[in-house]
Amino acid sequence: MVNQRSRMEEELVKGRDIANQLLELCVHRSNSHHHHHEDVKGSMLPFIEDLVRKVLCSFTNTLLLLNNDNDVSNEVAVSMTVKDVPPFSKCPNPHHTDEVCKGFFQTKKPRGSYKRKSSAPTWVTNSSILVEDGYVWRKYGQKITTNAKYLRSYYRCTHKHDKGCPAIKQVQRIQEDPPLYQTTYYGHHNCKSFSSSDIVMESASPSASSVFLSFSNTLPTKEQYQLQTSSVSSSMKQEPVEVIQDELIADQSLLASSDYLLLCDYEHDFISIT
DNA sequence: GGAATTTGACCCAT
DNA sequence: ATGGGTCAAATTCC
């Protein structure tokens, strides 16, 4: 039962990752103005890109729904609100899907004021680039772990104390050359007044979304962040190079629910492509 | 001065 | 006993 579920999830993750790679290809192409004698194909890129985004959105939403279905607790919801963007070069880390929701949550044992995270990760994602995931995180520790070359950083939601938000995440650098970070999320946010749908809605506008994916080679500055995510990035600050950075995830706060409906408009255009 | 980060100590699960 | 996760004082940043 659980085994079949995790296999389903594995498949979905795989499909989503492939769509992610395809999307990155699209974005890279459209950014590097290659339409000398390929204007026709070039003009289709926005459509292709939006389609890929739609596929991506579908995977993410399905994964989210799948997890919410099996949510037995009322405290620790198992939700996925994260899309990952694979590195440009292939990342040799097929093992990370094994970690995804390998079981249900376990009850925490609070003793005094010292609480540990529940042992079941909510979501694991790999990325090579910086991320703004729409939430404000507060770093509360870092560790060098055995058999790991790089630091692992611990973050909790900034609203842990004023709103009791239980979400935390760990960011582990796992590769140097193409920088690669594995982010593990635990719990989910209750600090934002989202409705019942925590689902990631992919924006149909290339102008908004492609900004996130254009960072493959250069790290964004603080100013760039503030341009993209004016509402959430007030606490961002530049970090020294060797400090583990957040990875790049499409910003949930940018994706209005109305955008999701827009995606349906492209459905009939799909036939004319290829 | 408040908020975020750093960092070593502390605590707990295994 | 040990490794990993968290706390919290000191420090840095804004």
Side-chain angles (χ1 to χ4, degrees), chain A residues 142 150-151 173 181 239-245:
Chain A
Q142 66 178 27
Y150 312 102
L151 283 173
R173 183 173 195 158
Y181 304 98
E239 300 177 79
V241 180
E242 63 267 23
V243 170
I244 291 177
Q245 312 264 6

Side-chain angles (χ1 to χ4, degrees), chain A residues 131-201:
Chain A
V131 138
E132 173 57 59
D133 59 7
Y135 293 102
V136 187
W137 299 95
R138 173 88 146 257
K139 188 173 181 177
Y140 66 87
Q142 66 178 27
K143 208 85 176 182
I144 180 76
T145 54
T146 54
N147 303 325
K149 297 174 190 166
Y150 312 102
L151 283 173
R152 173 182 299 171
S153 297
Y154 301 88
Y155 298 86
R156 41 152 254 239
C157 179
T158 297
H159 303 108
K160 178 183 180 177
H161 291 129
D162 54 346
K163 294 180 183 173
C165 184
I168 60 174
K169 71 172 179 179
Q170 299 178 4
V171 178
Q172 171 78 62
R173 183 173 195 158
I174 53 183
Q175 190 174 295
E176 175 72 56
D177 191 1
L180 186 59
Y181 304 98
Q182 180 177 77
T183 305
T184 309
Y185 292 81
Y186 296 90
H188 83 308
H189 291 269
N190 61 13
C191 55
K192 281 190 176 179
S193 52
F194 284 147
S195 59
S196 57
S197 60
D198 224 10
I199 296 175
V200 175
M201 301 299 181

Side-chain angles (χ1 to χ4, degrees), chain A residues 10-166:
Chain A
E10 216 169 287
E11 280 304 311
L12 285 166
V13 168
K14 196 190 297 178
R16 188 198 52 183
D17 287 350
I18 292 169
N20 248 328
Q21 294 181 41
L22 195 52
L23 175 60
E24 187 158 350
L25 270 180
C26 287
V27 172
H28 193 69
R29 265 190 78 99
S30 60
N31 282 349
S32 57
H33 311 301
H34 259 56
H35 39 277
H36 301 98
H37 43 79
E38 303 238 352
D39 263 335
V40 185
K41 282 184 183 173
S43 66
M44 284 182 171
L45 269 175
F47 293 108
I48 299 174
E49 186 175 325
D50 278 327
L51 283 168
V52 177
R53 289 184 192 285
K54 190 178 175 184
V55 170
L56 214 47
C57 185
S58 216
F59 276 122
T60 306
N61 288 350
T62 309
L63 282 162
L64 178 74
L65 294 169
L66 183 65
N67 261 11
N68 280 346
D69 251 9
N70 289 277
D71 182 15
V72 217
S73 89
N74 38 8
E75 290 293 328
V76 188
V78 182
S79 68
M80 289 166 289
T81 58
V82 172
K83 306 190 301 94
D84 61 348
V85 180
F88 227 79
S89 55
K90 294 280 188 296
C91 81
N93 286 286
H95 63 275
H96 77 278
T97 47
D98 300 339
E99 300 270 316
V100 176
C101 294
K102 71 178 94 171
F104 301 113
F105 76 101
Q106 293 175 1
T107 52
K108 286 187 278 190
K109 283 189 173 181
R111 277 185 198 168
S113 61
Y114 191 87
K115 290 185 182 178
R116 301 212 126 192
K117 66 172 178 59
S118 66
S119 58
T122 297
W123 189 240
V124 184
T125 179
N126 289 357
S127 176
S128 61
I129 39 190
L130 270 167
V131 138
E132 173 57 59
D133 59 7
Y135 293 102
V136 187
W137 299 95
R138 173 88 146 257
K139 188 173 181 177
Y140 66 87
Q142 66 178 27
K143 208 85 176 182
I144 180 76
T145 54
T146 54
N147 303 325
K149 297 174 190 166
Y150 312 102
L151 283 173
R152 173 182 299 171
S153 297
Y154 301 88
Y155 298 86
R156 41 152 254 239
C157 179
T158 297
H159 303 108
K160 178 183 180 177
H161 291 129
D162 54 346
K163 294 180 183 173
C165 184

